[in-house]
Amino acid sequence: MADPLVRSPTLGRQLRCTAAWAWHDCRFEWRVTLCLALAVAAVLAPLLVLFGLKSGIVGTLTERLQSDPRAREIVWKFNGPLDAAWVDALAQRPEVGFLVPSTRSLAATVDLQGPNEALQDIDLLPTAPGDPLLGSGQPVPIGFGEAALSHEAARRLGVQAGDTIQAAIARVYRQQRQTLRFPLRVVAVLEESVFAGKLVLAPLGLLEACEAYRDGFAVPELGAIDGATGPRARPPHARLRLYARTLDDVRGLAQELSAAGFEVTTRSRDIELVEQIDHALSFLFRLIAAVGVTGCLLSLAASLWANVIRKRRELALLRLIGVRERVLTVFPAVQSLLIASGGLLLAFGIYAVSAELINRTFQIDLGRDEFVCRLALRDGFLAALLTLLLAVAASIIGAIAVARVDPADGLREG
């Protein structure tokens, strides 16, 4: 029976048959194929685990910072009159995620009385819609009689959302110490992970009223009728509650404010630490990957070249029956792809087992959606694609050896 290549020597048929020969040759010499696939997996698996560790550690640290609103906070240390137009312009900047003006720090404290105990000199901060400290779905205090408490403050007072507590502020007016008491309904309690200390969030209007009371004015809205009753000119705001929109915006925004003469502090050192870890792990990964991949490519290329040399007679006979030279160069390329594919399957299997063991080892220190070792689907696909491309590149030496096969060798050695 005539060979199919002789009967129909089309380029497409020759390519398909050459690829089939390469597949059957790998199956026939399965021990050699397995050894080469294991060699590829021995290089790829540690690289996948290392990249998974880099992605998992850096990703977890970054997610923790992103989920912690305090990482984006720019703490205002300056107490002084702020121009209202400047504050409005700052609030409109795209790198600003949340901004609300505040009163003087000395006027922004309050005493609280709950069922369990009394708390004194608790920080009173202004809030507004979009407050990063308030979780999604938590109501925002909007009236003079509403407030949100930190988890610690609510625990010490013995209250929860919906309860009412008594607030008090004191002043010295006409050489007499006076205390103003008013009720506050707790509309929300902050998550413990958001703020660890004692804190009260209230509308800016309440802070302005407390400041006016301490400045000697009557504040009818809080029930204080004793005090100056003339026109109450609101003093300029003295501080800001300011949060950057993203972690990347913190450093630049803080530097601009510092250059403008405002004293601010941030958690930029924590952000820089994550960046340094990312850079260090990236450098180690690139270094180890370069050494490992280079060795793997050389080993695979040498193996493919040796295989072509061993099958020189068979390849020469294929040339004699009409297989084109450029078609035969597909032979080592297909074998290289098959070996690389087998190595990839083994490497991903080893990675999956290793990642599971690593994550289980550190699961006590991890949150529900946190991982020490994690490889994103996109990164895994890119790793596989790059491996296959490099495998084709490694087959070039074998293809050159195939191109040098002389059809006459089949007659001389036959």
Side-chain angles (χ1 to χ4, degrees):
M1 184 182 215
D3 191 277
L5 291 179
V6 177
R7 289 189 288 104
S8 182
T10 63
L11 179 61
R13 181 178 292 274
Q14 289 189 5
L15 287 173
R16 290 193 297 272
C17 288
T18 303
W21 289 332
W23 159 249
H24 288 298
D25 184 65
C26 285
R27 288 183 57 191
F28 180 75
E29 297 188 344
W30 64 269
R31 294 179 180 84
V32 176
T33 302
L34 179 60
C35 289
L36 291 175
L38 287 172
V40 173
V43 174
L44 286 180
L47 292 179
L48 291 176
V49 173
L50 180 59
F51 191 78
L53 286 171
K54 171 188 174 298
S55 301
I57 293 174
V58 174
T60 296
L61 292 176
T62 302
E63 288 173 2
R64 285 184 178 181
L65 284 176
Q66 289 175 341
S67 61
D68 184 0
R70 293 170 298 175
R72 296 183 286 111
E73 183 180 13
I74 299 176
V75 181
W76 204 264
K77 297 294 186 180
F78 176 82
N79 267 278
L82 298 175
D83 181 68
W86 178 84
V87 173
D88 291 339
L90 180 63
Q92 298 302 318
R93 295 184 56 169
E95 59 265 45
V96 174
F98 177 79
L99 183 151
V100 60
S102 185
T103 58
R104 304 188 308 270
S105 57
L106 293 177
T109 59
V110 65
D111 298 337
L112 302 176
Q113 177 66 58
N116 286 358
E117 61 177 296
L119 302 177
Q120 295 183 338
D121 294 328
I122 306 302
D123 287 334
L124 181 62
L125 297 183
T127 186
D131 193 328
L133 295 183
L134 291 170
S136 58
Q138 287 188 307
V140 179
I142 55 175
F144 276 83
E146 295 183 345
L149 298 180
S150 65
H151 183 274
E152 177 66 11
R155 184 188 68 82
R156 295 280 298 274
L157 292 170
V159 296
Q160 58 186 357
D163 294 339
T164 300
I165 58 176
Q166 290 295 318
I169 54 176
R171 71 178 180 183
V172 176
Y173 181 69
R174 292 180 179 176
Q175 300 181 347
Q176 292 183 353
R177 181 173 177 83
Q178 298 179 340
T179 301
L180 173 64
R181 292 181 172 83
F182 52 93
L184 284 178
R185 187 173 68 88
V186 180
V187 299
V189 175
L190 307 184
E191 296 290 339
E192 186 176 9
S193 59
V194 170
F195 194 90
K198 299 183 286 292
L199 176 69
V200 181
L201 294 178
L204 177 59
L206 178 60
L207 274 78
E208 292 173 343
C210 291
E211 184 179 49
Y213 177 79
R214 286 182 164 121
D215 288 341
F217 288 93
V219 186
E221 54 265 41
L222 292 180
I225 58 175
D226 192 13
T229 57
R232 195 171 76 194
R234 192 192 72 186
H237 294 121
R239 297 181 302 152
L240 296 177
R241 274 193 69 208
L242 177 61
Y243 292 80
R245 187 171 299 278
T246 66
L247 293 176
D248 295 332
D249 296 325
V250 173
R251 185 183 308 166
L253 194 57
Q255 288 175 348
E256 288 187 29
L257 292 172
S258 297
F262 299 106
E263 184 181 356
V264 297
T265 60
T266 67
R267 289 179 59 184
S268 58
R269 289 186 179 180
D270 294 340
I271 301 173
E272 291 172 358
L273 177 61
V274 174
E275 293 175 348
Q276 290 172 358
I277 293 175
D278 187 17
H279 293 158
L281 291 178
S282 296
F283 172 76
L284 289 176
F285 176 78
R286 288 194 295 267
L287 180 63
I288 297 174
V291 175
V293 170
T294 301
C296 182
L297 283 177
L298 293 176
S299 175
L300 184 58
S303 300
L304 292 172
W305 175 80
N307 191 43
V308 170
I309 297 302
R310 286 191 299 107
K311 294 179 172 56
R312 186 179 183 87
R313 176 177 175 274
E314 289 81 357
L315 294 172
L317 290 175
L318 290 175
R319 290 287 308 280
L320 281 175
I321 64 175
V323 180
R324 304 177 192 182
E325 176 183 305
R326 63 177 181 272
V327 172
L328 278 183
T329 59
V330 174
F331 184 83
V334 172
Q335 289 196 326
S336 182
L337 288 174
L338 291 173
I339 292 170
S341 299
L344 276 172
L345 291 176
L346 291 172
F348 277 112
I350 295 172
Y351 160 78
V353 174
S354 301
E356 182 66 20
L357 290 175
I358 292 172
N359 290 325
R360 284 182 178 272
T361 301
F362 295 96
Q363 65 180 355
I364 298 178
D365 302 318
L366 299 175
R368 185 179 60 181
D369 298 322
E370 294 180 340
F371 304 90
V372 172
C373 187
R374 176 178 58 183
L375 189 66
L377 182 62
R378 178 180 60 88
D379 295 330
F381 174 78
L382 290 177
L385 180 61
L386 182 60
T387 300
L388 295 177
L389 291 176
L390 291 175
V392 173
S395 69
I396 292 177
I397 295 179
I400 294 174
V402 168
R404 291 179 178 177
V405 172
D406 188 354
D409 291 343
L411 296 175
R412 286 194 294 268
E413 299 179 16

